[in-house]
Amino acid sequence: LLKVLSHIDSILQSPRAPPSIFRPSKGPVQNYVKENGQGCGFEHLPLTIEMWADQLIALKDLHRSLRKLSLELLPWNTKDPQDNRESIRVEDLQLIVDAILEELEYKEKNSQTQSLQTLSAIVSHFQKLFDVNSLNGVYPRMNEVYTKLGEMTNAMRNLHELLQLDSSAPPTVVVDTVGKLCDIINKNVTEQVQQLLGTQDIHSIINKLEEHECFFPPFQALIQDLLCLLEISNVDDILPAVQNLK
């Protein structure tokens, strides 16, 4: 047993041992005594071995967590050569981490390439939609489209308020409402013209307009002659001027 403990102690004191490992305590020797009666220094071994046992358990938990992460990022890589092994090595964890890092680097490079292709496609589509012949014309046309969009948005907002429509009403509802309003206005104008001309028939309205066109020019010429003859400038003065001639 003393030989085994000496071998473990040499491992703990080797350069390969972790720097944070437990060191021999400075207190009195509690368990083992060397042949010369001095303290053997092995009292720290149980604590160190206990720490190693905890680390091995934590290593398995870490491996399990890395496997879950690997399945999320690399769903096609379902094979794990360590699934049936009880002992987990640091090299096994390093392989999983390296595979994840390679996939992330590949995705990053691929996403940058796709981003450039997507950006080029967007610019080309904008040029086709808004008839832009060169890249230099893209920004001016964008500004123009933005300005026009703002004007249209303000106009639609004002129409919603004037027509007492909900702000969420689509443009088709606004157009239909304006159309109905125009129909009502046109109908009122027609009724007023019919009342003014004293007829309900469109053909009668046309006839009256034709009669007016035939009558008005000679009447206007007669009035102009009377104004010149009577040396007056106002139509209302014609009748008094004629009465004075009597």
Side-chain angles (χ1 to χ4, degrees):
L1 179 60
L2 185 61
K3 185 177 181 180
V4 173
L5 293 176
S6 298
H7 182 64
I8 295 176
D9 190 58
S10 63
I11 294 175
L12 297 179
Q13 296 178 3
S14 68
R16 297 178 58 187
S20 61
I21 203 168
F22 289 97
R23 295 302 178 188
S25 63
K26 297 180 180 179
V29 179
Q30 297 180 1
N31 296 320
Y32 300 98
V33 179
K34 290 184 177 180
E35 294 180 354
N36 56 6
Q38 296 178 355
C40 61
F42 293 145
E43 67 272 11
H44 67 286
L45 293 182
L47 295 176
T48 301
I49 295 174
E50 182 180 355
M51 182 195 71
W52 281 0
D54 293 339
Q55 292 298 313
L56 289 175
I57 295 175
L59 199 65
K60 293 182 179 180
D61 294 338
L62 179 59
H63 178 264
R64 190 179 302 108
S65 300
L66 286 176
R67 280 295 301 158
K68 290 182 180 180
L69 179 60
S70 177
L71 291 176
E72 288 291 334
L73 298 177
L74 312 173
W76 58 88
N77 187 14
T78 57
K79 183 179 180 181
D80 185 5
Q82 304 302 326
D83 283 342
N84 298 324
R85 291 182 53 176
E86 294 183 359
S87 61
I88 303 297
R89 299 176 303 175
V90 176
E91 291 84 352
D92 302 329
L93 305 182
Q94 188 64 46
L95 287 175
I96 298 177
V97 173
D98 290 342
I100 294 174
L101 290 176
E102 288 179 3
E103 179 64 19
L104 292 177
E105 290 177 359
Y106 172 77
K107 286 184 177 180
E108 183 178 0
K109 293 180 180 178
N110 193 30
S111 64
Q112 291 177 356
T113 303
Q114 290 181 353
S115 298
L116 292 176
Q117 294 175 351
T118 303
L119 180 60
S120 177
I122 291 173
V123 173
S124 299
H125 188 60
F126 180 88
Q127 288 181 269
K128 291 179 181 179
L129 286 178
F130 298 99
D131 193 23
V132 182
N133 297 325
S134 65
L135 291 177
N136 293 331
V138 171
Y139 280 111
R141 187 56 58 88
M142 281 185 175
N143 293 333
E144 182 181 350
V145 171
Y146 178 79
T147 301
K148 295 295 183 182
L149 178 62
E151 293 175 354
M152 186 185 69
T153 302
N154 291 333
M156 291 298 296
R157 186 185 300 111
N158 293 333
L159 285 174
H160 279 92
E161 294 178 357
L162 289 173
L163 299 174
Q164 297 181 352
L165 295 174
D166 188 79
S167 58
S168 61
T172 53
V173 175
V174 176
V175 173
D176 291 341
T177 305
V178 172
K180 293 178 182 179
L181 184 61
C182 291
D183 291 339
I184 294 173
I185 293 174
N186 292 334
K187 183 178 179 181
N188 292 337
V189 171
T190 302
E191 291 177 354
Q192 291 176 4
V193 171
Q194 290 175 350
Q195 292 176 1
L196 179 63
L197 298 177
T199 178
Q200 301 295 325
D201 187 5
I202 187 64
H203 295 291
S204 299
I205 294 175
I206 294 174
N207 292 333
K208 286 188 175 292
L209 290 175
E210 290 177 349
E211 292 175 359
H212 178 269
E213 185 177 358
C214 293
F215 168 76
F216 186 75
F219 177 76
Q220 185 179 17
L222 174 62
I223 295 299
Q224 290 295 333
D225 292 341
L226 285 174
L227 291 175
C228 293
L229 230 128
L230 298 174
E231 297 180 353
I232 57 178
S233 58
N234 195 351
V235 177
D236 295 335
D237 295 335
I238 293 177
L239 187 57
V242 172
Q243 288 178 349
N244 290 333
L245 291 177
K246 293 181 178 180

